[in-house]
Amino acid sequence: MGTLPGRLTVAALMLVVALLLVPTAAAEWPMDGGNAQHTGEQETPLIGPAIQWEVQVDGELMCPPATAYSKLYIGTSDGVLKVLDERDGHLLWDVKLGDSICATPLIESQTAIVPVGRVLHAVDLSDKSDKWTFEAVGTLRASPVLYDDLVFIGSEDKNVYAIDKYTGLLEWSMKLDDVIGTSPAVSGNTVVIGTEAGTVYGIHRNEGEEIWQVDLGSPISTAPCISSSTAMVGTYGGRLHGINIGDGDMEWTYPHPAEPALDPILTTPVTNSGLVYFGSENLYCLEVRNGLLARSHTTGDTVRGNPAIVES
């Protein structure tokens, strides 16, 4: 499958940090979704609904930043990794890595792991040099995820890769049925990842073997979000699906298949306290255990950015 009709490219020239979105400097958000389960949850309290600073950067910002060590890490459309002071936004340093960066960096052990074109760079944060690089066959356009010393990432070449975080050596790869344009999620021994053919796979984390697969009938548009034993995945067809990560059984679908679909779901769901939140034409909140609507919030337009949960 080629590029999907209506695929959205988020482009902004101004990075604005508002405390409605970014917690205090003590908070860390070292990968897309906050963690390997993409729960999108941050315990550190906010300190006020006010813009603290804004900074103009060269190039377009195609993805959210990561935060760690009181710094922001952002990639730009011209292939530059920029590191900013989280307190005031001033540029600490940057490094040109290659082509466009369209995924959130992964920050771990003083290393930024950044997909750039077909190459995954592990950049030493102390001297800006590459600790290692890993080259895929196709473009890496989704954010990497770290779980138990392995970095997981999907590619346009239809492969999902598991890479040693220390050496950059390939532990395993598995060919799926179509292009992978979203991040995986990992819980226990299961890697959950979707393709543009609409298939969600459960893959054994260490062995790289398929445990199950389920066809959702529409291209996967979000990274999975995992709560307990349920992986929640959105599609361009406008439905959120709850899938059991143990056996791939479909637990629920929202809206129910007999009901009209929503607009395409463009945001990775987030979860807290047995509830899951996601955006479409409005912001929705469902019960994780059964997929029933708990409440919704009218937003006035399509929700295009992933929600995040901070305190309550």
Side-chain angles (χ1 to χ4, degrees):
M1 180 178 289
T3 302
L4 293 169
R7 175 174 294 283
L8 294 175
T9 299
V10 178
L13 296 178
M14 185 78 72
L15 180 65
V16 180
V17 173
L19 290 180
L20 284 170
L21 301 177
V22 177
T24 63
E28 293 198 351
W29 199 269
M31 68 184 82
D32 184 38
N35 51 47
Q37 293 76 45
H38 293 291
T39 60
E41 181 182 11
Q42 173 58 253
E43 297 293 342
T44 304
L46 299 175
I47 54 175
I51 292 175
Q52 295 299 289
W53 51 261
E54 62 184 47
V55 60
Q56 188 82 28
V57 299
D58 295 329
E60 296 175 316
L61 306 179
M62 314 292 284
C63 56
T67 66
Y69 315 121
S70 298
K71 300 176 180 65
L72 286 173
Y73 304 84
I74 60 173
T76 67
S77 61
D78 51 6
V80 176
L81 174 67
K82 294 180 180 289
V83 181
L84 282 62
D85 190 300
E86 192 179 72
R87 296 166 299 180
D88 56 19
H90 81 267
L91 180 67
L92 298 173
W93 55 266
D94 59 17
V95 59
K96 173 75 171 177
L97 296 178
D99 298 330
S100 177
I101 300 172
C102 56
T104 298
L106 163 65
I107 311 300
E108 165 69 9
S109 302
Q110 293 295 329
T111 304
I113 299 175
V114 191
V116 188
R118 295 186 295 114
V119 180
L120 194 63
H121 292 258
V123 180
D124 191 318
L125 297 180
S126 62
D127 62 11
K128 297 184 280 185
S129 66
D130 275 334
K131 292 183 176 180
W132 52 258
T133 59
F134 173 83
E135 187 169 356
V137 177
T139 300
L140 306 168
R141 71 179 191 222
S143 302
V145 166
L146 177 71
Y147 192 92
D148 199 21
D149 294 340
L150 288 178
V151 177
F152 300 92
I153 192 167
S155 171
E156 288 189 349
D157 60 31
K158 305 182 184 180
N159 282 293
V160 55
Y161 297 97
I163 303 156
D164 187 286
K165 78 168 185 178
Y166 298 106
T167 65
L169 296 177
L170 179 67
E171 289 291 321
W172 56 260
S173 66
M174 180 179 170
K175 189 98 168 187
L176 307 186
D177 65 347
D178 206 344
V179 168
I180 303 167
T182 59
S183 295
V186 190
S187 181
N189 285 323
T190 306
V191 178
V192 183
I193 192 166
T195 72
E196 291 189 356
T199 308
V200 178
Y201 290 81
I203 303 169
H204 194 284
R205 172 171 56 91
N206 293 320
E207 299 173 4
E209 297 179 351
E210 180 183 316
I211 303 171
W212 50 262
Q213 62 172 278
V214 58
D215 181 10
L216 300 186
S218 177
I220 308 303
S221 56
T222 76
C225 166
I226 298 177
S227 175
S228 186
S229 62
T230 302
M232 290 154 287
V233 185
T235 70
Y236 280 99
R239 300 190 192 276
L240 189 74
H241 302 268
I243 303 167
N244 186 285
I245 65 171
D247 55 20
D249 283 352
M250 185 73 70
E251 297 179 346
W252 49 262
T253 295
Y254 181 87
H256 188 277
E259 300 174 352
L262 306 175
D263 289 347
I265 299 172
L266 305 175
T267 70
T268 295
V270 299
T271 184
N272 169 267
S273 301
L275 298 172
V276 58
Y277 303 81
F278 70 97
S280 178
E281 61 260 46
N282 296 309
L283 180 67
Y284 296 89
C285 173
L286 312 181
E287 296 183 28
V288 171
R289 61 188 177 89
N290 54 24
L292 294 179
L293 181 66
R295 55 186 176 273
S296 64
H297 178 78
T298 301
T299 55
D301 204 345
T302 301
V303 179
R304 302 174 188 271
N306 296 343
I309 298 170
V310 184
E311 287 189 299
S312 60

